[in-house]
């Protein structure tokens, strides 16, 4: 095989967290380039009040795609690229918990972004409704472009990628920490990722639900967002229930990076770390109950607006605490002014400006005036393009030597910093003064007083862009010419600095251990076996280490002779399946709005073939890896990682259905009349299917039981029974649907019918997955019966059937009774 | 390997059958009550039945009753968040001035 081919193949099939982290970062930078270019284009348009450079629809497309890509395909992904690379290193793990799933997340992310890019080239052009995609403008009645469909498909696909990612990080952080790394010793960046995924777990299902409903509207003719009962407000609620947590999702990882970087370069632990953690936790919970501050001028009642005004003011408190802690850390420490530190320090005042203006927005009375003006644009750009992005740059520069083994040029970085600070302030400060200029207009010939401020802003944009050109040069220069960095060039604190730069595939030559008094050690595994891990943690055992760091901030010492390997000569597990699955979905999704059934079938085929390959690998145990032998896993001691992952995933599913049920309640309470399900549907059929589902859960329970007691015959019979029941449910459902449609209640008829098809359809899709899982278990059992040692597979399939049943216990009365 | 054996004893299949019978029975009762108009507030009634049925499914068929607190926390935490979400949404919907008049 030629070296180029094997190089390409490696990147296409890799499942290693560090490779995937790099892929995320490179891809995110590409999307940054796209979105940044769009921004320069519309800034040029705005430099003149009557410009024809990028008028009308093109302007709207540029603004919309800019917003979506920057938030969803650049900022979060580049943070998660760093998280992919550094969370396992920071906690002393060898990889993420589910490496292939991690690869799948990445490829879904990449192809979902490409969907959005492709949308520029389809009839009607790219999405142009503003990044918030407000209803009813987002329906095909007002925005018929095929590119709009692709954007919504992209969002749904990305939501899937992110949900899988949350499961992966949850299990990794909760269950794979190095022995001795109790929660209070977990680094801030890893903590911030934990809070971020908790928010993602709830927020993205709401976005996915909104996206699914919108797709039904656009592709199949339902009227959720076009009707009076649903319409603009339904979208607002679903979107902002996602949208507000999303802004913290973008902020948290950056704050985590800031904390780690600042404590490294002041040589002090973060001031009041526990307090900051409590503040983060409070912000995580509060982030769900502030979304109506984006709806202050919709028809919401004054009381509700007052409540949300208060919660919004409240949520700024935790951030003020965090900022204070950062500043106090700076104040108490001895600062070393390296380039990562300078970027980190620059992020703080930007945060103060952006945050303070947010608090102004929280006041209903002020917001009435600010809403929809450039003031709001300035507010959130100070935080996102300021704080969040500056912290990401700081993070990239901080960890660059670790990833590449080379140093960046401090000089280039400082030039970049100066340009960036001047650029961003010139770009956004004038926008605070454009407090009466509406957003999303492309001409303002009626208001000559806005010209100068807009021109300053455009000049600022180009200076800001220039800073990124310098950044690119700095990165390339560092990569090719940078001087060797050694393992810990900054004398920084943390496990990632105790391994080689770049780290070997298995991350550490030995087992990382954190002692009670806070030292970090790399201990040969043999020593751990002999001495006992507990004694090493308490410090009772005298061990020879290959690396050590002591908590007073002094640089770690690592003996130069790395005893290589230690038996985890990781077979480099590569798999093509994740990439192929995402590619298949991409092809099918591109074809969908264009109505090209052949291409759709091809994409679906590819996707199913990849899933089959994945399952086959699973069946053969190709990827089964033992869990790490020594680990800190409170509060999940002794609990299988699949179980923790499954329950995390189920929580996400719960929020997906919760959002759909929420939409049902919303529409129903706003409908003047409603025909109860008991008059529309046959209760007898509904009851029949209810019993079928309950019995399927029973059958799975029996299969699990019989696997544990070793009764092979009954194990197989139960599995076959569960499978048959799943199929029976699907057939009954199909019969029911066709009967209902024949009675004149098609998908596009009444609101009752639309909701019925949507919710029972979403549920049936889950039944289908249950059927496939049961089929797999049956085949496996026929070949190789499950025994007590692997019965847990059946338990997990049973847990899945359980959630299918649980959802049904609510859907059944919703549609057949009330 | 004595522990797995104790676990089977703790979970004989009879529990599955009882749970199943309970679920079918409550489903029948639910239909009867609603159809006969015996409920005071139908929405509250069916939601409560759903929650009771879900708990049985979770405890028996998803084996949550055997799990430690940390695993139980997933569905419980999600339920709490869902309730916060739904009640916040419902109150803000009900309090809003609809265009419907
Ligand atoms: C101190 C905390 C914050 C408060 C109190 C706050 C408050 C607000 C309020 C009330 C609005 C609505 C303004 C309007 O549309 O009229 C708003 C808009 C916005 N905020 Fe914040 N905010 C805060 C922090 C953040 C952060 C950290 C981010 C991002 C990382 C952010 C991003 C946004 C965005 C994107 C919008 C505009 C959405 C749109 O209409 O396009 N905010 N903020
Ligand atoms: Cu908000």
């Amino acid at each position: 095989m030629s070296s180029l081919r094997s190089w390409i193949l490696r990147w296409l099939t890799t499942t290693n967290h560090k490779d995937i982290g790099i892929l995320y970062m490179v891809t995110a930078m590409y999307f940054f380039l796209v979105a940044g270019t769009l921004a320069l284009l519309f800034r040029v348009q705005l430099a003149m009040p009557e410009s024809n450079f990028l008028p009308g629809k093109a302007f709207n497309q540029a603004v919309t795609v800019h917003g979506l890509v920057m938030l969803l395909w650049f900022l979060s992904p580049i943070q998660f690229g760093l998280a992919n690379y550094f969370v396992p290193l920071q906690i002393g793990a060898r990889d993420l918990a589910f490496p292939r799933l991690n690869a799948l997340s990445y490829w879904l992310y990449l192809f979902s972004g490409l969907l959005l890019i492709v949308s520029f080239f389809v009839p009607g052009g790219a999405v142009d409704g503003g990044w918030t995609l407000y209803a009813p403008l987002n329906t095909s009645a007002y925005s018929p472009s095929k590119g709009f469909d692709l954007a919504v498909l992209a969002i749904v696909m990305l939501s899937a990628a992110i949900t899988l990612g949350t499961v992966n990080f949850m299990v990794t952080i909760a269950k794979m920490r190095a022995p001795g790394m109790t929660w209070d010793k977990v680094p801030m960046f890893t903590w911030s990722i934990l809070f971020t995924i908790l928010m993602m777990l709830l927020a993205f299902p709401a976005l996915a639900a909104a996206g699914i409903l919108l797709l039904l509207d656009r592709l199949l003719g339902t009227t959720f967002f076009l009707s009076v009962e649903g319409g603009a407000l339904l979208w607002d609620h679903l979107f902002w229930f996602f949208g507000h947590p999303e802004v913290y999702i973008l902020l948290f990882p950056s704050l985590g990076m800031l904390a780690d970087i600042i404590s490294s370069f002041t040589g002090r632990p973060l001031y009041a770390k526990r307090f900051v953690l409590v503040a983060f936790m409070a912000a995580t919970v509060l982030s769900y109950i502030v979304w109506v501050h984006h709806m202050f001028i919709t028809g919401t009642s004054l009381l509700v607006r007052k409540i949300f005004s208060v919660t919004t003011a409240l949520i700024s408190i935790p951030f003020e605490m965090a900022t204070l802690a950062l500043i106090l850390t700076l104040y108490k420490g001895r600062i070393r002014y390296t380039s990562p530190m300078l970027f980190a320090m620059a992020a703080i005042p930007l945060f103060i400006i952006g945050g303070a203006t947010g608090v102004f927005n929280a006041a209903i009375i002020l917001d009435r005036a600010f809403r929809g003006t450039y003031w709001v644009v300035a507010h959130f750009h100070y935080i996102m393009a300021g704080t969040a992005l500056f912290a990401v740059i700081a993070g990239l520069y901080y960890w660059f030597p670790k990833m590449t083994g080379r140093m960046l040029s401090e000089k280039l970085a400082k030039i970049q910093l100066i340009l960036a600070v001047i650029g961003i302030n010139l770009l956004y400060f004038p926008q605070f003064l454009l407090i009466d200029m509406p957003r999303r207009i492309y001409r303002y010939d009626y208001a000559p007083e806005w010209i100068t401020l807009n021109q300053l802003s455009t000049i600022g944009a180009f200076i800001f862009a220039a800073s990124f050109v310098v950044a690119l040069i700095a990165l390339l220069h560092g990569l090719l010419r940078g001087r060797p960095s050694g393992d810990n060039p900054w004398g920084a604190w943390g496990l990632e600095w105790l391994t080689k730069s770049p780290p070997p595939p298995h991350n550490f030559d030995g087992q990382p251990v954190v002692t009670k008094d806070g030292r970090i050690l790399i201990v040969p595994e043999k020593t751990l076996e002999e001495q006992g891990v507990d004694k090493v943690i308490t410090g009772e055992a005298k061990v020879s280490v290959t690396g050590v760091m002591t908590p007073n901030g002094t640089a770690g010492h690592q003996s130069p002779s790395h005893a290589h390997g230690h038996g985890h000569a990781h077979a480099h597990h590569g798999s093509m399946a994740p990439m192929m699955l995402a590619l298949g979905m991409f092809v099918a999704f591109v074809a969908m709005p264009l109505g090209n059934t052949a291409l759709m079938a091809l994409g679906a085929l590819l996707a199913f073939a990849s899933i089959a390959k994945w399952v086959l690998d699973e069946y053969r145990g190709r990827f089964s890896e033992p869990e790490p032998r020594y680990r800190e896993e409170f509060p999940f001691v002794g609990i299988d990682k699949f179980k923790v992952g499954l329950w995390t995933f189920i929580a996400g599913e719960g929020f997906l259905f919760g959002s759909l049920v929420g939409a049902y309640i919303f529409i129903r309470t706003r409908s003047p009349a409603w025909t109860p399900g008991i008059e529309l549907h046959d209760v007898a059929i509904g009851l029949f299917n209810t019993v079928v589902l309950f019995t399927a859960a029973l059958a799975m329970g029996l299969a699990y039981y019989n696997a544990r007691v070793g009764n092979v015959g009954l194990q197989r019979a139960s599995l076959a029974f569960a499978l048959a029941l799943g199929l029976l449910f699907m057939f009954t459902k199909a019969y029911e649907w066709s009967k209902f449609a024949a009675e004149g209640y098609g998908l596009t008829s009444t609101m009752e019918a639309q909701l019925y098809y949507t919710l029972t359809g979403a549920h049936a899709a889950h039944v289908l997955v249950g059927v496939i899982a049961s089929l797999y278990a049956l085949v496996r059992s026929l070949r190789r019966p499950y025994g007590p040692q692997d019965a847990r597979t059946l338990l997990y399939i049973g847990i899945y059937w359980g959630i299918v049943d649980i959802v049904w216990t609510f859907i059944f009365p919703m549609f057949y009774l009330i | 390997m004595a522990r797995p054996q104790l676990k089977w004893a703790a979970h004989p299949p009879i529990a599955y059958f009882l749970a199943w019978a309970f679920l079918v029975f409550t489903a029948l009762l639910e239909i009867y009550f609603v159809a006969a108009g015996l409920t005071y507030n139908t929405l509250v009634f069916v939601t409560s039945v759903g929650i009771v049925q879900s708990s049985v499914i979770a405890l028996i068929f998803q084996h949550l009753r055997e799990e430690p607190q940390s695993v139980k926390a997933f569905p419980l935490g999600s339920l709490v968040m869902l309730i916060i979400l739904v009640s916040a949404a419902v109150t803000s919907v009900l309090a809003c001035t609809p265009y419907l008049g």
Side-chain angles (χ1 to χ4, degrees), chain A residues 131 240 247 251 358 361 367 371 376 379-380 383-384 439:
Chain A
W131 83 276
W240 285 116
V247 306
L251 182 66
N361 295 347
D367 190 55
R371 162 73 19 118
V376 173
H379 152 65
F380 65 74
I383 295 176
M384 295 198 282
R439 300 163 70 174

Side-chain angles (χ1 to χ4, degrees), chain A residues 341-421:
Chain A
M341 184 61 169
L342 290 171
F343 273 98
M345 288 170 71
I348 294 175
L350 295 171
F351 188 47
I352 294 173
I353 299 177
T357 50
V359 181
F360 285 101
N361 295 347
I364 302 166
I365 197 97
L366 290 178
D367 190 55
R368 278 190 91 90
F370 298 159
R371 162 73 19 118
T373 70
Y374 267 85
W375 164 277
V376 173
V377 178
H379 152 65
F380 65 74
H381 278 96
Y382 260 94
I383 295 176
M384 295 198 282
T387 323
L389 183 51
F390 274 57
V392 164
I393 298 170
L396 278 174
Y397 287 6
Y398 177 57
W399 282 312
F400 184 88
K402 184 46 64 185
M403 293 187 278
T404 61
R406 287 170 185 277
M407 298 302 284
L408 285 171
S409 151
E410 285 286 303
K411 204 158 99 199
L412 284 172
K414 279 171 191 161
I415 297 175
Q416 181 203 350
L417 177 72
I418 293 168
L419 286 174
V421 169

Side-chain angles (χ1 to χ4, degrees), chain A residues 228 237 241 288 299 301 635 639 643 648 651 666 670 694-695 698 701 704-705 708 795 799 802-803 806 809-810 818, chain B residues 8 13 16 20 23 28 42 46 50 53-54 61-63 67-68 70-71 74 78 81 85 92-93 95 97 99-100:
Chain A
V228 183
H237 277 296
F241 181 71
Y288 290 101
S301 83
I639 297 166
K643 192 182 278 175
T648 311
F666 185 92
R670 287 160 50 92
F694 289 158
T695 315
L698 172 67
Y704 175 50
Y705 173 77
R708 288 200 295 180
L795 171 64
I799 291 177
I803 201 73
I806 285 176
T809 62
F810 294 97
I818 61 173
Chain B
W8 316 335
Y16 296 134
W20 180 84
L23 291 172
L28 283 168
T42 318
V46 295
Q53 288 180 330
S54 301
F61 289 122
Q62 298 183 311
H63 293 256
E67 301 286 4
S70 59
V71 174
F74 277 98
S78 313
M81 288 310 290
L85 164 64
S92 77
V93 172
T97 28
Y99 342 109
L100 296 173

Side-chain angles (χ1 to χ4, degrees), chain A residues 686-697:
Chain A
L687 176 65
F688 175 73
N689 252 351
T690 308
V691 176
V692 167
L693 276 191
F694 289 158
T695 315

Side-chain angles (χ1 to χ4, degrees), chain A residues 535-570:
Chain A
K535 287 220 171 112
V536 177
I537 293 176
T538 52
E540 287 164 53
K542 282 263 172 286
V543 291
S544 67
V545 296
T546 55
V548 61
M549 246 184 219
T550 37
N552 58 9
T554 52
H557 155 267
Q558 190 164 12
S559 64
S561 62
H562 296 284
H564 213 304
H566 287 291
H568 7 260
H570 256 28

